[in-house]
Amino acid sequence: MAEVPAVDVLVMGAGAIGCYIGGCLASEGVRVFFIGRPRVLEALERHGLRVSDLDGGERYVPPGSLHMAERIPRGVRPGLVLLTVKSSGTAEAAAELAEALPPGTPVVSLQNGITNAATAAQVAPGLRVLPGMVPYNVAAIDRGAFHRGTTGRLAVQDHALLRPWLAVFDSAGVPIDRHANMLPVQWGKLLLNLNNPVNALSGLPLRQQLMDRGYRRCLAALMDEALEALAWAHIKPAQLAAVPPRRMPTILRLPDPLFKVVAARMLRIDDKARSSMADDLALGRRTEINELCGEVVRLARSNGARAPLNAKMVELIEAWPRRPQPLSAEEMLSALGLG
């Protein structure tokens, strides 16, 4: 029988976020085990894991220091699990975690959307699943190389099980903020993530797309619908950007020269950054559009209202495989009825 490696942190989903955070931890000597798909694991086995950021930081973990597999090895007992699979894989991943790990193991959901932690907790009731939020953009820029192109701090629901890990994450350059209630934080992030489909359909790097007022008008309209739905539901989203959520649509609609000045902090994005949804479209993978715009549609519907622009954006993303061509700002505005 193969020897079971000692594991501090199990990364359940070796994608861009899982590899970046896991790579930062591993570079500081944390014993990280990555669970992922063969395509990613083969790249890590050959090239190692390199993580970088917009401040010029770079860390490298050589192949011989990486532990990884497609499924959780029998007998692995991590102190912490980072759940970083795509939303569509949450239930399956949680079932595997429940089968492999002892009761009470803390699991932090670092996924987009609102309901992933609840889904995982329902499938794996014996584990201690906590909702979390990743504020920054991470892109795969080469085989085994992942780049953080924006700023921010991880957010996690406060729990005693996490407190021994705070200094560990801080020293690895992925600091954590704790919150008693994560729902406002998750909705604050979802509002920003409404740019993911806009960016994906534009075919442009994130910063270049945000410098085009036409695309910003599309995002502002999606945000307006979401903010209205949140108001009906009596949910006040947390402020995660440089300005309060309610002011964001107005700022997005400013003319380009004025926007560049007013939103200087928002535009601290390097040229490598793009949305994860853009990567999904490029690779023919299922996107998280139903966990983003679809969540807005469902929230509005729960209050007897509609969110037709977010519903249309779901349609546009789902139609991409039949017409895999970027939309200009004018085409996107017209498709949303904003032209």
Side-chain angles (χ1 to χ4, degrees):
M1 179 182 291
E3 182 180 353
V4 178
V7 176
D8 298 318
V9 175
L10 178 76
V11 173
M12 190 65 177
I17 294 297
C19 283
Y20 178 79
I21 297 174
C24 289
L25 293 168
S27 71
E28 290 295 311
V30 179
R31 298 171 298 185
V32 180
F33 201 104
F34 295 88
I35 305 298
R37 299 186 183 279
R39 175 181 59 83
V40 176
L41 300 185
E42 288 167 7
L44 297 179
E45 287 175 355
R46 175 170 294 192
H47 303 284
L49 176 54
R50 189 179 305 277
V51 297
S52 56
D53 59 56
L54 75 168
D55 299 312
E58 188 169 302
R59 301 165 184 257
Y60 178 68
V61 185
S65 299
L66 292 169
H67 298 285
M68 59 195 119
E70 293 181 45
R71 295 189 64 82
I72 303 171
R74 185 187 300 269
V76 164
R77 295 293 181 263
L80 179 68
V81 176
L82 303 180
L83 182 58
T84 52
V85 298
K86 291 288 186 180
S87 296
S88 59
T90 297
E92 181 181 354
E96 184 176 346
L97 290 168
E99 181 179 354
L101 303 183
T105 301
V107 178
V108 177
S109 166
L110 294 176
Q111 301 166 277
N112 285 330
I114 306 298
T115 62
N116 283 301
T119 298
Q122 184 176 17
V123 174
L127 304 181
R128 190 63 180 91
V129 183
L130 302 170
M133 184 277 294
V134 180
Y136 36 74
N137 170 277
V138 177
I141 58 173
D142 203 349
R143 290 176 62 80
F146 300 88
H147 182 79
R148 173 172 63 80
T150 56
T151 60
R153 294 168 61 94
L154 298 174
V156 180
Q157 182 176 310
D158 193 16
H159 194 281
L161 289 171
L162 292 180
R163 289 167 195 168
W165 293 99
L166 299 178
V168 176
F169 276 68
D170 192 64
S171 65
V174 282
I176 296 174
D177 288 332
R178 294 169 290 158
H179 297 265
N181 181 9
M182 279 295 297
L183 186 62
V185 178
Q186 290 174 296
W187 272 107
K189 174 66 186 304
L190 191 146
L191 285 172
L192 300 179
N193 275 347
L194 292 178
N195 190 56
N196 284 14
V198 178
N199 176 253
L201 292 172
S202 76
L204 299 173
L206 196 54
R207 193 178 193 283
Q208 184 179 347
Q209 174 248 309
L210 283 171
M211 282 305 303
D212 187 314
R213 184 170 180 264
Y215 289 124
R216 295 199 309 276
R217 285 179 57 204
C218 295
L219 173 57
L222 296 174
M223 282 187 167
D224 277 337
E225 275 194 348
L227 287 165
E228 183 176 354
L230 287 166
W232 275 101
H234 304 290
I235 299 172
K236 184 178 180 180
Q239 179 178 333
L240 301 182
V243 297
R246 283 282 170 194
R247 290 185 56 199
M248 185 71 73
T250 299
I251 291 173
L252 289 169
R253 291 185 172 101
L254 291 173
D256 288 338
L258 187 55
F259 175 77
K260 187 174 182 179
V261 174
V262 173
R265 287 176 60 190
M266 187 191 308
L267 292 171
R268 190 164 179 261
I269 305 169
D270 68 26
D271 293 337
K272 298 184 180 73
R274 60 181 182 271
S275 72
S276 59
M277 195 173 291
D279 292 337
D280 291 338
L281 289 186
L283 294 171
R285 297 186 304 220
R286 180 177 175 179
T287 73
E288 293 184 312
I289 190 64
N290 278 303
E291 286 73 34
L292 300 178
C293 294
E295 196 68 58
V296 176
V297 173
R298 289 188 290 275
L299 182 65
R301 189 180 299 141
S302 71
N303 289 289
R306 296 172 61 248
L309 299 181
N310 279 274
K312 183 62 178 180
M313 189 58 79
V314 173
E315 292 180 14
L316 291 174
I317 289 292
E318 291 182 342
W320 173 268
R322 300 190 296 275
R323 183 188 180 277
Q325 296 178 7
L327 296 179
S328 68
E330 292 73 20
E331 289 171 329
M332 192 178 297
L333 286 165
S334 176
L336 293 176
L338 302 171

